[in-house]
Amino acid sequence: MKKPSFYMLLFFLVFCGALAGCAASSTSSSGSDAGSDDVLYQVSTLNALMQGVYDGEITFDQLTKEGDLGIGTFDGLDGEGIVLDGKVYQVRADGKAVQADGSGKTPFAVVTDFEADEQVQLSNINDLSQLQTELDKLLPNPNMFYAFKVEGTFKYVKTRSVPKQNKPYPPLAEVTKTQPTFEFHDVKGTLVGFWCPSFARDVNLPGYHLHFLTADREAGGHLLECSMEEGTVSVDTTTGFHMILPQNEHFAQVDLGHTQEEEIEKVEQ
Ligand SMILES: [Zn+2]
């Protein structure tokens, strides 16, 4: 919220630099006032992932240097990823979570160094739509990026994962047609993820994108639905944006000139 024009400029500089193949290799510093931790660090673009650019680009050891909370996927689209407290959890197609190897690579991920700017308690949330309405109240600026952590007791959670793909990689919408889904009842766990502004639609998902991990860290996935008895919501305003683009052939060949709105709907629900 401080000096938005500066951060927009930073966003475009990093974005344009990355497009030109000269992305800054150092951790971007977002200046003196907001602190360098308020940077959303993203690997690749959602459009590229949707078009099947599934080859891992950045190792999880590298990724977790850039942020301790976030979401993503794995080389070959081998499951849904949750980064929590600096550890990476991989929810494979059987719904079970394992801690991922730091040398593994991600084709798409978003992380930030999470420091809560605000915390609120919620109770009796009947569904995901109501949860989002409550989270909306914590977003004063629709042109900003926000990171979320929701630690709660859930009456119900529904997630999905995706099975590892072989080359030639099919588009994400093909994969999610037969996505395995999982249901949890009376479970403690954590939702992690982001809210992205509408202008980010060419590189990420506008609105909410949340993943779930059970408190025992043994299961989870990409969140499809939930109802929450009670929980603590922490939100971190993220004023900087740093994007790393894949250097592989496949990324060089896909057409990223238009946002696939309908396809996004299909793959996120
Ligand atoms: Zn997801």
Side-chain angles (χ1 to χ4, degrees):
M1 263 152 291
K2 295 157 197 160
K3 298 190 187 171
S5 57
F6 170 80
Y7 290 108
M8 284 302 295
L9 182 64
L10 177 70
F11 171 85
F12 282 112
L13 285 176
V14 171
F15 182 58
C16 297
L19 280 181
C22 57
S25 57
S26 63
T27 305
S28 67
S29 166
S30 61
S32 56
D33 53 356
S36 58
D37 293 342
D38 279 340
V39 174
L40 182 146
Y41 180 92
Q42 178 170 321
V43 178
S44 190
T45 77
L46 187 65
N47 265 353
L49 189 76
M50 287 174 53
Q51 295 191 43
V53 182
Y54 302 150
D55 279 338
E57 182 68 19
I58 298 285
T59 69
F60 289 105
D61 282 340
Q62 288 171 284
L63 185 75
T64 49
K65 281 188 189 128
E66 307 294 340
D68 60 2
L69 176 138
I71 57 177
T73 186
F74 298 82
D75 188 56
L77 200 70
D78 191 11
E80 303 279 356
I82 297 108
V83 182
L84 184 59
D85 300 328
K87 298 192 178 85
V88 181
Y89 298 90
Q90 179 174 18
V91 179
R92 288 219 170 91
D94 62 0
K96 297 207 170 69
V98 292
Q99 211 173 314
D101 189 354
S103 62
K105 287 185 172 179
T106 179
F108 178 82
V110 188
V111 295
T112 189
D113 265 325
F114 192 82
E115 276 180 71
D117 295 322
E118 199 176 345
Q119 269 193 345
V120 296
Q121 302 292 326
L122 295 179
S123 56
N124 300 316
I125 302 295
N126 294 321
D127 56 24
L128 181 55
S129 153
Q130 192 188 350
L131 176 63
Q132 292 182 346
T133 303
E134 291 300 322
L135 298 183
D136 284 346
K137 296 173 188 168
L138 301 169
L139 312 181
N141 180 345
N143 296 322
M144 192 60 74
F145 292 84
Y146 295 92
F148 285 96
K149 177 160 76 169
V150 182
E151 294 169 298
T153 304
F154 296 84
K155 271 173 275 182
Y156 175 73
V157 179
K158 184 178 184 184
T159 65
R160 74 109 194 272
S161 189
V162 280
K164 186 170 170 35
Q165 300 297 304
N166 297 310
K167 291 179 180 176
Y169 293 138
L172 190 52
E174 282 300 311
V175 178
T176 56
K177 269 184 193 165
T178 55
Q179 63 189 10
T181 58
F182 313 100
E183 292 182 301
F184 305 87
H185 298 273
D186 300 314
V187 65
K188 284 184 195 294
T190 307
L191 299 173
V192 302
F194 297 90
W195 186 92
C196 293
S198 58
F199 69 80
R201 68 181 62 251
D202 284 338
V203 295
N204 204 321
L205 176 68
Y208 295 97
H209 187 173
L210 298 167
H211 287 187
F212 177 69
L213 186 67
T214 56
D216 61 14
R217 303 193 171 189
E218 288 186 353
H222 170 104
L223 183 71
L224 297 175
E225 187 52 87
C226 70
S227 68
M228 187 171 77
E229 240 169 83
E230 55 173 352
T232 305
V233 178
S234 307
V235 58
D236 186 8
T237 307
T238 306
T239 51
F241 190 103
H242 187 131
M243 187 161 65
I244 296 295
L245 296 175
Q247 298 186 57
N248 59 59
E249 267 304 294
H250 195 177
F251 182 76
Q253 285 162 6
V254 288
D255 175 11
L256 302 175
H258 57 280
T259 302
Q260 304 167 300
E261 311 264 353
E262 280 174 29
E263 300 292 296
I264 287 179
E265 284 274 300
K266 274 189 226 158
V267 302
E268 298 306 328
Q269 286 160 18

